[in-house]
Amino acid sequence: MQNSFDMTTLVFLALAVFVAWKLRSVLGQKTGSEQPPADPFSRRETPPVRPDQAAPADARRDNVIRLPGAANDPAAAAPAADRFKDIAPEGSPILAGIEGIIKQEPGFDPREFLGGAKAAYETIVTAFARGDRKMLKGLLAKEVYEGFEQAITDREKRGEKAESSFVSIDKADITAVDVKGKTAQVTIAFVSQLISVTRDAQGTVVDGSAEVVSEVNDIWTFSRQLGSRDPNWLLVATESAA
């Protein structure tokens, strides 16, 4: 019985030694120079580059700092005469006025201004037809608003209603730019195709037509205090072109 026990013990000991040896050969043994497990949230540092090695492409990109201004925007660096020659001829008073605005507000772009002016033109005409005083008050200078508001009041007293809808705005050209001190004024000639009709209280057409498209020529002047926190330009004058 004792011999049987001793033989069983020896067999298990041999197996234990074999298993330990296999684990050691597969996993290796610590030398004291192992790297700790990587932290997935830690910042990865770029390995240092020897003087005789080229920096990795990613490292070169990271060292580039883009600064705003002419160096990064060739179009902005070009003279106004080149950038806006499709809007104002070189040496013209219009171009001189544009340059005067840009001196005080470098971000001014007459093309963007024209886009905003066309949107304002359509908004004001349709708001006037609806009698939307609130909308008009935010877009018109005081004197112009008073004139529009009086016309709306007179129309309401007669029991009339107006309708206006744009078919298109065919042209919007800057015809004058004036800068005096901090005050800038830009005049635009609009050519539009408009359906406009006014009806009395019974619905009878008293002016215009609900079916005929008419060409409308207007000359509007917008003004703004340069450097102001308010970016809006106000309508300060209107007239009908011949």
Side-chain angles (χ1 to χ4, degrees), residues 14-61:
L15 286 172
V17 171
F18 177 76
V19 170
W21 176 79
K22 290 296 290 181
L23 287 173
R24 184 183 182 87
S25 65
V26 172
L27 300 177
Q29 49 185 322
K30 290 188 176 182
T31 64
S33 60
E34 293 80 17
Q35 295 294 327
D39 180 0
F41 300 102
S42 64
R43 178 181 176 184
R44 291 188 175 93
E45 300 291 341
T46 303
V49 180
R50 297 199 308 270
D52 61 337
Q53 290 180 321
D58 290 343
R60 289 197 296 269
R61 284 199 298 270

Coordinates of all heavy atoms in Angstrom, one line a residue, residues 14-61:
A14 N 5.8 14.4 -11.4 CA 6.4 14.5 -12.7 C 5.5 15.3 -13.7 O 6.0 16.1 -14.5 CB 6.6 13.0 -13.3
L15 N 4.2 15.0 -13.6 CA 3.3 15.7 -14.5 C 3.3 17.2 -14.1 O 3.3 18.1 -15.0 CB 1.9 15.2 -14.3 CG 1.6 13.8 -14.9 CD1 0.2 13.3 -14.5 CD2 1.7 14.0 -16.5
A16 N 3.4 17.6 -12.9 CA 3.4 19.0 -12.5 C 4.6 19.7 -13.0 O 4.6 20.8 -13.5 CB 3.3 19.1 -10.9
V17 N 5.8 19.0 -12.9 CA 7.0 19.6 -13.4 C 7.0 19.8 -14.9 O 7.4 20.8 -15.5 CB 8.2 18.7 -13.1 CG1 9.5 19.1 -13.8 CG2 8.4 18.7 -11.6
F18 N 6.4 18.8 -15.6 CA 6.2 18.9 -17.1 C 5.4 20.1 -17.5 O 5.7 20.9 -18.4 CB 5.7 17.6 -17.7 CG 5.4 17.7 -19.1 CD1 6.5 17.5 -20.0 CD2 4.1 17.8 -19.7 CE1 6.3 17.6 -21.4 CE2 3.9 17.9 -21.0 CZ 5.0 17.7 -21.9
V19 N 4.2 20.2 -16.8 CA 3.3 21.3 -17.1 C 3.9 22.7 -16.9 O 3.8 23.6 -17.6 CB 2.0 21.2 -16.3 CG1 1.1 22.5 -16.4 CG2 1.2 20.0 -16.8
A20 N 4.7 22.8 -15.7 CA 5.3 24.1 -15.4 C 6.4 24.4 -16.5 O 6.5 25.6 -16.9 CB 6.0 24.0 -14.0
W21 N 7.1 23.4 -17.0 CA 8.1 23.7 -18.0 C 7.5 24.2 -19.3 O 8.0 25.1 -19.9 CB 8.9 22.4 -18.2 CG 9.9 22.5 -19.3 CD1 11.1 23.1 -19.3 CD2 9.7 22.0 -20.7 NE1 11.8 23.0 -20.5 CE2 10.9 22.4 -21.4 CE3 8.7 21.3 -21.3 CZ2 11.1 22.1 -22.7 CZ3 8.9 21.0 -22.6 CH2 10.1 21.4 -23.4
K22 N 6.4 23.5 -19.7 CA 5.7 24.0 -20.9 C 5.2 25.4 -20.8 O 5.3 26.2 -21.7 CB 4.5 23.0 -21.2 CG 4.9 21.6 -21.6 CD 5.7 21.6 -22.9 CE 4.8 22.0 -24.1 NZ 5.6 22.0 -25.4
L23 N 4.6 25.7 -19.6 CA 4.1 27.1 -19.5 C 5.2 28.1 -19.5 O 5.1 29.2 -20.1 CB 3.4 27.2 -18.1 CG 2.0 26.6 -18.0 CD1 1.5 26.6 -16.6 CD2 1.0 27.2 -19.0
R24 N 6.3 27.8 -18.9 CA 7.5 28.7 -19.0 C 8.0 28.9 -20.4 O 8.4 30.0 -20.8 CB 8.6 28.1 -18.1 CG 9.8 29.0 -17.9 CD 10.9 28.2 -17.0 NE 12.0 29.1 -16.8 CZ 12.1 30.0 -15.8 NH1 11.1 30.1 -15.0 NH2 13.2 30.7 -15.7
S25 N 8.0 27.8 -21.2 CA 8.5 27.9 -22.5 C 7.6 28.7 -23.4 O 8.1 29.4 -24.4 CB 8.8 26.5 -23.1 OG 7.5 25.9 -23.3
V26 N 6.3 28.7 -23.2 CA 5.3 29.4 -24.0 C 5.2 30.9 -23.6 O 5.3 31.8 -24.4 CB 3.9 28.7 -23.9 CG1 2.9 29.6 -24.6 CG2 4.0 27.4 -24.5
L27 N 5.1 31.2 -22.3 CA 4.9 32.5 -21.8 C 6.2 33.3 -21.5 O 6.2 34.5 -21.5 CB 4.1 32.5 -20.4 CG 2.7 31.8 -20.5 CD1 2.1 31.8 -19.1 CD2 1.8 32.5 -21.5
G28 N 7.3 32.6 -21.4 CA 8.5 33.3 -21.2 C 8.7 33.6 -19.7 O 7.8 33.3 -18.9
Q29 N 9.7 34.4 -19.4 CA 9.9 34.8 -18.0 C 10.2 36.2 -17.9 O 10.8 36.8 -18.9 CB 11.0 34.0 -17.3 CG 12.3 33.9 -18.2 CD 13.3 33.0 -17.6 OE1 13.4 32.9 -16.4 NE2 14.0 32.2 -18.4
K30 N 9.8 36.9 -16.8 CA 10.1 38.3 -16.7 C 11.5 38.6 -16.6 O 12.3 37.9 -15.9 CB 9.3 38.9 -15.5 CG 7.8 38.9 -15.6 CD 7.1 39.6 -14.5 CE 5.6 39.7 -14.7 NZ 4.9 40.4 -13.7
T31 N 11.9 39.7 -17.2 CA 13.3 40.2 -17.1 C 13.5 41.5 -16.4 O 14.6 42.0 -16.2 CB 13.9 40.3 -18.5 OG1 13.2 41.4 -19.2 CG2 13.8 39.0 -19.3
G32 N 12.3 42.2 -16.1 CA 12.4 43.5 -15.5 C 12.3 44.6 -16.5 O 12.2 45.8 -16.1
S33 N 12.3 44.3 -17.8 CA 12.3 45.4 -18.8 C 11.0 45.4 -19.6 O 10.9 46.0 -20.7 CB 13.5 45.2 -19.8 OG 13.4 43.9 -20.4
E34 N 10.0 44.7 -19.1 CA 8.7 44.6 -19.9 C 8.0 46.0 -19.8 O 8.1 46.7 -18.8 CB 7.8 43.5 -19.3 CG 8.3 42.1 -19.4 CD 9.3 41.8 -18.4 OE1 9.4 42.5 -17.4 OE2 10.0 40.8 -18.6
Q35 N 7.3 46.3 -20.9 CA 6.4 47.5 -21.0 C 5.1 47.2 -20.4 O 4.5 46.2 -20.5 CB 6.2 48.0 -22.4 CG 7.5 48.4 -23.1 CD 8.1 49.6 -22.5 OE1 7.4 50.5 -22.0 NE2 9.4 49.7 -22.5
P36 N 4.5 48.2 -19.6 CA 3.2 48.0 -19.0 C 2.2 47.9 -20.1 O 2.4 48.4 -21.2 CB 3.0 49.2 -18.1 CG 3.9 50.2 -18.7 CD 5.1 49.5 -19.3
P37 N 1.0 47.3 -19.8 CA -0.1 47.3 -20.8 C -0.4 48.7 -21.3 O -0.5 49.6 -20.5 CB -1.2 46.6 -20.1 CG -0.6 45.9 -18.9 CD 0.6 46.7 -18.6
A38 N -0.7 48.8 -22.6 CA -1.0 50.1 -23.2 C -2.4 50.6 -22.7 O -3.3 49.9 -22.6 CB -1.1 50.1 -24.7
D39 N -2.5 51.9 -22.3 CA -3.7 52.5 -21.9 C -4.4 53.1 -23.1 O -3.9 54.0 -23.8 CB -3.4 53.7 -20.9 CG -4.7 54.3 -20.4 OD1 -5.8 53.9 -20.8 OD2 -4.5 55.3 -19.6
P40 N -5.6 52.5 -23.5 CA -6.3 53.0 -24.7 C -6.7 54.5 -24.7 O -7.0 55.0 -25.7 CB -7.5 52.1 -24.8 CG -7.7 51.6 -23.4 CD -6.4 51.5 -22.8
F41 N -6.7 55.1 -23.5 CA -7.1 56.5 -23.4 C -5.9 57.4 -23.2 O -6.1 58.6 -23.1 CB -8.0 56.7 -22.2 CG -9.3 55.9 -22.3 CD1 -9.4 54.7 -21.6 CD2 -10.3 56.3 -23.1 CE1 -10.6 54.0 -21.7 CE2 -11.4 55.5 -23.3 CZ -11.6 54.4 -22.5
S42 N -4.7 56.9 -23.2 CA -3.5 57.7 -23.0 C -3.1 58.3 -24.3 O -3.4 57.8 -25.4 CB -2.4 56.9 -22.4 OG -2.0 55.9 -23.3
R43 N -2.4 59.5 -24.3 CA -2.0 60.1 -25.5 C -0.8 59.4 -26.0 O 0.2 59.1 -25.3 CB -1.6 61.6 -25.1 CG -1.0 62.3 -26.3 CD -0.6 63.7 -25.9 NE 0.0 64.5 -27.0 CZ 0.5 65.7 -26.9 NH1 0.4 66.3 -25.7 NH2 1.0 66.3 -27.9
R44 N -0.7 59.1 -27.3 CA 0.4 58.4 -28.0 C 1.4 59.5 -28.4 O 1.1 60.4 -29.2 CB -0.1 57.6 -29.2 CG -1.0 56.4 -28.8 CD -1.2 55.5 -30.0 NE -1.9 54.3 -29.6 CZ -3.2 54.2 -29.6 NH1 -4.0 55.2 -30.0 NH2 -3.8 53.1 -29.3
E45 N 2.6 59.3 -28.0 CA 3.6 60.3 -28.3 C 4.3 59.8 -29.6 O 4.5 58.6 -29.8 CB 4.7 60.4 -27.2 CG 4.1 60.9 -25.9 CD 3.7 62.4 -26.0 OE1 4.2 63.0 -26.9 OE2 2.9 62.8 -25.1
T46 N 4.7 60.7 -30.5 CA 5.5 60.4 -31.7 C 6.9 60.1 -31.3 O 7.5 60.9 -30.6 CB 5.4 61.5 -32.7 OG1 4.1 61.8 -33.0 CG2 6.2 61.1 -34.0
P47 N 7.5 58.9 -31.7 CA 8.8 58.6 -31.3 C 9.8 59.7 -31.9 O 9.6 60.2 -32.9 CB 9.1 57.3 -32.0 CG 8.1 57.2 -33.1 CD 6.9 57.9 -32.6
P48 N 10.9 60.0 -31.1 CA 11.8 61.0 -31.6 C 12.5 60.6 -32.9 O 12.7 59.4 -33.1 CB 12.8 61.1 -30.4 CG 12.7 59.8 -29.7 CD 11.3 59.4 -29.8
V49 N 12.8 61.6 -33.7 CA 13.4 61.3 -35.0 C 14.8 61.8 -34.9 O 15.1 62.9 -34.5 CB 12.6 62.1 -36.1 CG1 13.3 61.8 -37.5 CG2 11.2 61.6 -36.1
R50 N 15.7 60.9 -35.4 CA 17.1 61.3 -35.4 C 17.4 62.3 -36.5 O 16.7 62.4 -37.5 CB 18.0 60.0 -35.7 CG 17.9 59.0 -34.6 CD 19.1 58.0 -34.7 NE 19.3 57.5 -36.0 CZ 18.7 56.4 -36.5 NH1 17.9 55.7 -35.7 NH2 18.9 56.0 -37.7
P51 N 18.4 63.1 -36.4 CA 18.7 64.2 -37.4 C 18.8 63.6 -38.8 O 18.6 64.3 -39.8 CB 20.0 64.8 -36.9 CG 20.0 64.5 -35.4 CD 19.4 63.2 -35.3
D52 N 19.3 62.3 -38.9 CA 19.5 61.8 -40.2 C 18.3 61.1 -40.8 O 18.4 60.5 -41.9 CB 20.7 60.8 -40.2 CG 20.4 59.6 -39.2 OD1 19.6 59.8 -38.3 OD2 21.0 58.5 -39.4
Q53 N 17.2 61.2 -40.1 CA 15.9 60.6 -40.5 C 14.9 61.7 -40.9 O 14.9 62.7 -40.3 CB 15.3 59.7 -39.5 CG 16.1 58.4 -39.2 CD 15.4 57.6 -38.1 OE1 14.9 58.2 -37.1 NE2 15.4 56.3 -38.3
A54 N 14.1 61.4 -41.9 CA 13.0 62.3 -42.3 C 11.9 62.1 -41.3 O 11.6 61.0 -40.9 CB 12.6 62.0 -43.7
A55 N 11.3 63.2 -41.0 CA 10.1 63.1 -40.1 C 9.0 62.4 -40.8 O 8.8 62.6 -42.0 CB 9.7 64.5 -39.6
P56 N 8.2 61.6 -40.1 CA 7.0 61.0 -40.7 C 6.1 62.0 -41.3 O 6.0 63.2 -40.8 CB 6.4 60.2 -39.5 CG 7.4 60.1 -38.5 CD 8.3 61.3 -38.6
A57 N 5.3 61.6 -42.2 CA 4.4 62.5 -42.9 C 3.4 63.2 -41.9 O 3.1 64.4 -42.0 CB 3.6 61.8 -44.0
D58 N 2.9 62.4 -41.0 CA 1.9 62.9 -40.0 C 2.5 63.9 -39.2 O 1.9 64.9 -38.8 CB 1.3 61.8 -39.2 CG 0.4 60.9 -40.0 OD1 0.0 61.3 -41.1 OD2 0.1 59.7 -39.5
A59 N 3.8 63.7 -38.8 CA 4.5 64.7 -37.9 C 4.7 66.0 -38.6 O 4.6 67.0 -38.1 CB 5.8 64.1 -37.4
R60 N 5.0 65.9 -39.9 CA 5.2 67.1 -40.7 C 4.0 67.9 -40.8 O 4.0 69.1 -40.7 CB 5.8 66.8 -42.1 CG 7.2 66.3 -42.1 CD 7.8 66.3 -43.5 NE 7.1 65.4 -44.4 CZ 7.4 64.2 -44.6 NH1 8.4 63.6 -44.0 NH2 6.8 63.4 -45.5
R61 N 2.8 67.2 -41.0 CA 1.5 67.9 -41.1 C 1.2 68.6 -39.8 O 0.7 69.7 -39.7 CB 0.4 67.0 -41.5 CG 0.4 66.6 -43.0 CD -0.9 66.0 -43.4 NE -1.2 64.8 -42.6 CZ -0.9 63.6 -43.0 NH1 -0.2 63.5 -44.1 NH2 -1.2 62.5 -42.3

